[in-house]
């Protein structure tokens, strides 16, 4: 396996082309990218029965103490049209500091399952205080793109039954391509310095978004890097399945199975996100990010992102970054004793990585 990992060569341009073809295959009509103003969300929708109220990790993010910070903070709420249809309306929240005339580095932040862009506000404020333009979006069927507490679950099940959308990861990656179109046109953003990061589902969005779109120049998936094929082959799929279990239960019934097994898991991934456990899996898409700076941060005991499943992707990434004479731009950090949880240590690692590669 190690020899195979070391010998493998990724054709990044071919991979990006093929991935774009898959993304386009289930789009509603493509439309002209438009921007319209929106109002701040006063009561964000969380698709959880117990509403989250605090994240120690996010509030630990390094922040510059600025007198009258709130009055100097600029907030923008807007909608981008990324395709026709209801889900083609992308809600965006942007925080930055008033007064600067220079183009600044920007970072896109992506939330975890059942959360929304407003949940990320502590991170957005912290980065804004340090001179970044900080951007968050609602991923598909979340936040303003949800109508109730089961919207995301219902979309996943509909995708399994009808095969017409890709609510797990891929549809939001399409939005990220359109978001990059918008961000690179803004006069306050340096188009060569746009980072991307996220937690859990958001980490997967960041990983795939950067793999397909090179305009994301610095990349930090947090507790989101997983080998999907490896998990199937090594019977380590249970943690990920548990996070969206109603989908797999529905598939199990449709397939006439008494229990969820690897066959069910593989069929679900192939149906709702074609290539996720094959040609677009971690061992292929991570090397395609080279030579852009990439930091992968996971918990060493994470059942959803098993560390052993990162060995081949890591070997291939080291090869790709080595060939690009950029070995210093790839790093994988696994925090000991931590499961599927974003920690203050991870937030600080991400913060330092962005400062190193996005600040002039």
């Amino acid at each position: 396996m190690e020899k195979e990992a070391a010998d493998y060569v990724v054709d990044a341009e071919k991979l990006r082309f093929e991935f774009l073809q898959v993304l386009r295959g289930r789009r509603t009509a493509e439309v002209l990218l438009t921007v319209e103003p929106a109002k701040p969300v006063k009561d964000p929708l969380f698709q959880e029965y117990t509403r989250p109220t605090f994240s120690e990790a996010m509030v630990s993010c390094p922040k510059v103490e600025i007198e009258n910070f709130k009055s100097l903070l600029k907030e923008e709420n807007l909608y981008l049209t990324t395709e026709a249809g209801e889900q083609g309306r992308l809600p965006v929240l942007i925080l930055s500091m008033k007064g600067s005339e220079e183009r600044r580095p920007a970072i896109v932040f992506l939330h975890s399952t059942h959360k929304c862009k407003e949940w990320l506000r502590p991170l957005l404020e912290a980065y804004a205080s340090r001179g970044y333009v900080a951007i968050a979006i609602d991923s598909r069927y979340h936040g303003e793109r949800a109508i109730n507490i089961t919207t995301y679950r219902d979309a996943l099940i509909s995708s399994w039954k009808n095969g017409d959308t890709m609510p797990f990861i891929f549809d939001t990656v399409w939005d990220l391509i359109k978001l990059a179109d918008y961000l690179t046109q803004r006069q306050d953003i340096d188009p060569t310095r746009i980072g991307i990061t996220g937690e859990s589902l958001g980490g997967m969005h960041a990983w795939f978004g950067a793999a397909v779109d090179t305009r994301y120049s610095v990349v930090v998936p947090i507790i989101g890097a997983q080998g999907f094929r490896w998990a199937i082959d090594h019977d380590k799929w249970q943690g990920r399945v548990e996070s969206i279990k109603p989908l797999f239960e529905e598939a199990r019934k449709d397939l006439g199975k008494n229990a969820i097994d690897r066959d069910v898991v593989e069929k679900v991934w192939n149906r709702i996100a074609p290539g996720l456990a094959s040609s677009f899996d971690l061992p292929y898409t991570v090397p395609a990010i080279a030579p852009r700076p990439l930091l992968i941060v996971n918990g060493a005991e994470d059942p959803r992102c098993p560390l052993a499943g990162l060995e081949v992707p890591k070997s291939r990434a080291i090869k790709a970054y080595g060939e690009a004479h950029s070995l210093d731009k790839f790093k994988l950090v696994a925090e000991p004793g931590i499961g599927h949880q974003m920690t203050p240590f991870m937030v600080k690692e991400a913060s330092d990585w962005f400062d190193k590669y996005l600040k002039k």
Side-chain angles (χ1 to χ4, degrees), residues 285-301:
T285 40
V286 161
I289 295 173
R292 289 166 288 156
L294 168 62
L295 169 66
I296 296 173
V297 190
N298 275 14
E301 309 301 327

Side-chain angles (χ1 to χ4, degrees), residues 54-74:
F54 179 76
S55 169
E56 178 187 2
M58 284 196 286
V59 299
S60 74
C61 188
K63 185 176 182 179
V64 175
E65 295 301 324
I66 299 173
E67 192 174 350
N68 300 319
F69 174 70
K70 295 292 185 182
S71 65
L72 297 173
L73 188 67
K74 178 183 178 183

